[in-house]
Amino acid sequence: MESVSEGEPAVRRRPKDRKAQIARASADAFGSQGYHAVSMEDIAARVGITPAALYRHSPSKYDLFRDAVLGLSQMLVDVTAFADDTADDNPAETLQALTSALVDATIANRAAGGLYRWEARYLKDPDRAILVHQLKVVNERLQLPLLALRPKLRANQAWTLSSAALTVIGSITDHSNPLAIGEIRSVLNTMTADVLAAELPAGRRRAVSRPQPLTVGAEAGLYEHVLFESVRLFYENGYRNTSMEDIASAVGIQASGLYRSFPGKADILALAYRRAADQHSSDTAAALSRTSDPEEALDEVIDEYLGRVMEWPDLPYVYYTERHNVPPVDLRVLETIESSMMDAWARLVTVARPEMKIGAARYAVGAALALTVDFRRLFARESGPESVATIRRLMEVTLLGRPVRRRR
């Protein structure tokens, strides 16, 4: 064995897995902090190297970001590739194997797994096209055995179900509720199977129209106008790419006038989050006060929640994507409100579905809420009441394993 002479400096060799270390550190950093909040220095510190050494591996933050996003989505392509060589004589087994592979991959990458869901909007067009193709491949692999099992499904219904299944699986990246890995795997596989087996409504089951999106102008007052236009800009451009000057221009005032009423952009974001959290919490409390029947109460809280989402569809997306920009003191309050609301929903689920424990029920609630956030991905913005009825059915099936039983 070769020895190092006393006083002779040891030769430091680059670890063979340095590239993988950088990829993992980049994905975790972007996933937890968002694209704009991460610097090359942050990633270098996570890996334990200097920024100069990191630049030798990658020329820019964007390159690391692109590789992280596309690497995660490529992982989903890779873990489902076996389906291309699988005989179609047992589609049920193939479909189960596909969903299990996706569940396991998402659990293993939970810290970074939400990256392609929330931060992919910052990809350049050619890279975004690659991501769209990767997800299309995964969806089509799910749809092939699904259509073999359910040949009466229309093509658009198969796309809705496969996309909803991916949303349910990916929903664990939206929260950090504690649960043993085996239990997470079990609840995700169960919910995904229920969603893929869901009977979608042919049309509206109840004579209700889709709530019209809110339009808030200056006549509503400065506070409401600022909140509305800020959320719109955060949705369209991202929080980091929206300035106080942009918001002031949108509401038709000078930036100095905006600063007199709002200390800064982060304060406006926190107010929008507090508005959403308070509305959902109070809606849940009101629904629970109207009935003691758990399934009827669940029916009502879903109605209330969906109504809010349809009225202000930009807000749920911003709520999920920009939370790392909310000031810590405000975020703690929000987390308290969110936890209380999720617990209220979860308790209803466990009473209506006694075989499900409270921890698993929280995951079911998280998955059901994620479906509403992905509404625009599952349906066109201009889609009508039928699409709302479909989202509602998918929420019911995710929470209960079946549609809500309504009293006649």
Side-chain angles (χ1 to χ4, degrees):
M1 180 175 175
E2 185 178 352
S3 61
V4 178
S5 302
E6 186 176 351
E8 182 180 340
V11 178
R12 296 186 63 185
R13 292 181 172 82
R14 181 183 302 168
K16 292 181 179 180
D17 65 343
R18 176 55 52 79
K19 185 176 181 180
Q21 289 178 356
I22 292 172
R24 169 64 71 175
S26 300
D28 287 348
F30 291 128
S32 61
Q33 297 173 246
Y35 173 63
H36 286 290
V38 175
S39 67
M40 292 290 274
E41 289 75 12
D42 294 331
I43 297 170
R46 285 174 178 257
V47 181
I49 59 176
T50 65
L54 181 59
Y55 275 108
R56 287 196 290 271
H57 285 274
S58 186
S60 71
K61 183 177 81 167
Y62 178 80
D63 290 275
L64 289 173
F65 171 69
R66 176 201 60 217
D67 292 347
V69 175
L70 298 184
L72 285 167
S73 53
Q74 183 61 43
M75 172 195 64
L76 302 183
V77 174
D78 293 342
V79 300
T80 57
F82 69 89
D84 293 344
D85 302 318
T86 301
D88 59 1
D89 54 350
N90 196 335
E93 185 177 296
T94 300
L95 189 59
Q96 183 177 6
L98 282 167
T99 56
S100 293
L102 290 167
V103 165
D104 289 345
T106 304
I107 291 173
N109 293 273
R110 184 175 184 179
L115 185 56
Y116 76 89
R117 277 169 58 77
W118 305 125
E119 297 297 296
R121 56 196 162 142
Y122 297 119
L123 287 174
K124 297 176 182 177
D125 288 344
D127 298 322
R128 188 178 296 110
I130 295 172
L131 174 64
V132 169
H133 174 72
Q134 290 170 327
L135 297 178
K136 181 173 182 280
V137 169
V138 176
N139 271 285
E140 288 176 341
R141 285 172 177 164
L142 285 170
Q143 291 163 24
L144 191 62
L146 177 62
L147 286 168
L149 291 167
R150 304 183 61 184
K152 292 184 179 180
L153 283 176
R154 298 192 303 272
N156 66 320
Q157 291 178 318
W159 273 102
T160 296
L161 291 176
S162 66
S163 298
L166 291 177
T167 291
V168 166
I169 294 170
S171 67
I172 66 167
T173 67
D174 302 339
H175 61 83
S176 56
N177 288 322
L179 199 64
I181 288 179
E183 292 177 284
I184 297 174
R185 183 179 293 112
S186 176
V187 71
L188 285 181
N189 277 308
T190 297
M191 289 190 298
T192 305
D194 290 339
V195 163
L196 290 171
E199 293 293 337
L200 298 181
R204 282 180 289 171
R205 286 165 39 110
R206 289 187 282 179
V208 294
S209 59
R210 172 179 171 176
Q212 292 300 308
L214 290 173
T215 301
V216 178
E219 67 278 1
L222 181 64
Y223 181 78
E224 295 296 333
H225 198 193
V226 167
L227 279 186
F228 181 80
E229 290 297 337
S230 298
V231 169
R232 180 183 64 79
L233 290 169
F234 295 154
Y235 174 81
E236 293 178 357
N237 305 322
Y239 173 82
R240 293 278 176 164
N241 290 336
T242 300
S243 66
M244 287 288 276
E245 288 72 19
D246 294 330
I247 298 170
S249 176
V251 298
I253 63 174
Q254 296 294 319
S256 57
L258 184 62
Y259 276 110
R260 281 196 293 271
S261 300
F262 301 91
K265 186 173 64 170
D267 300 279
I268 298 175
L269 181 67
L271 287 170
Y273 272 62
R274 184 62 182 265
R275 166 66 62 82
D278 280 339
Q279 284 180 337
H280 297 156
S281 180
S282 63
D283 287 345
T284 299
L288 290 171
S289 71
R290 290 193 291 266
T291 177
S292 59
D293 180 85
E295 195 150 339
E296 187 176 328
L298 194 61
D299 187 32
E300 291 203 24
V301 297
I302 292 173
D303 258 350
E304 296 285 359
Y305 192 87
L306 270 179
R308 296 287 189 186
V309 170
M310 294 303 107
E311 285 179 350
W312 201 355
D314 293 351
L315 185 55
Y317 185 84
V318 171
Y319 195 91
Y320 274 77
T321 56
E322 304 293 359
R323 65 186 305 116
H324 46 267
N325 292 308
V326 177
V329 64
D330 296 297
L331 192 58
R332 284 193 293 273
V333 175
L334 290 168
E335 288 172 346
T336 298
I337 299 171
E338 289 170 354
S339 177
S340 176
M341 187 192 75
M342 288 191 75
D343 279 349
W345 282 48
R347 284 192 295 271
L348 292 175
V349 171
T350 57
V351 176
R353 192 177 187 178
E355 76 278 7
M356 182 173 277
K357 296 179 180 178
I358 189 70
R362 291 191 187 99
Y363 274 69
V365 174
L369 300 183
L371 287 167
T372 67
V373 179
D374 280 357
F375 179 83
R376 286 181 173 172
R377 185 171 62 83
L378 296 169
F379 301 100
R381 183 179 183 128
E382 65 275 7
S383 53
E386 294 81 6
S387 59
V388 179
T390 297
I391 284 289
R392 185 180 224 296
R393 173 63 59 81
L394 292 171
M395 291 179 73
E396 293 170 3
V397 169
T398 298
L399 293 167
L400 298 176
R402 55 171 173 77
V404 167
R405 298 189 184 106
R406 296 182 175 89
R407 295 178 178 177
R408 294 186 181 275

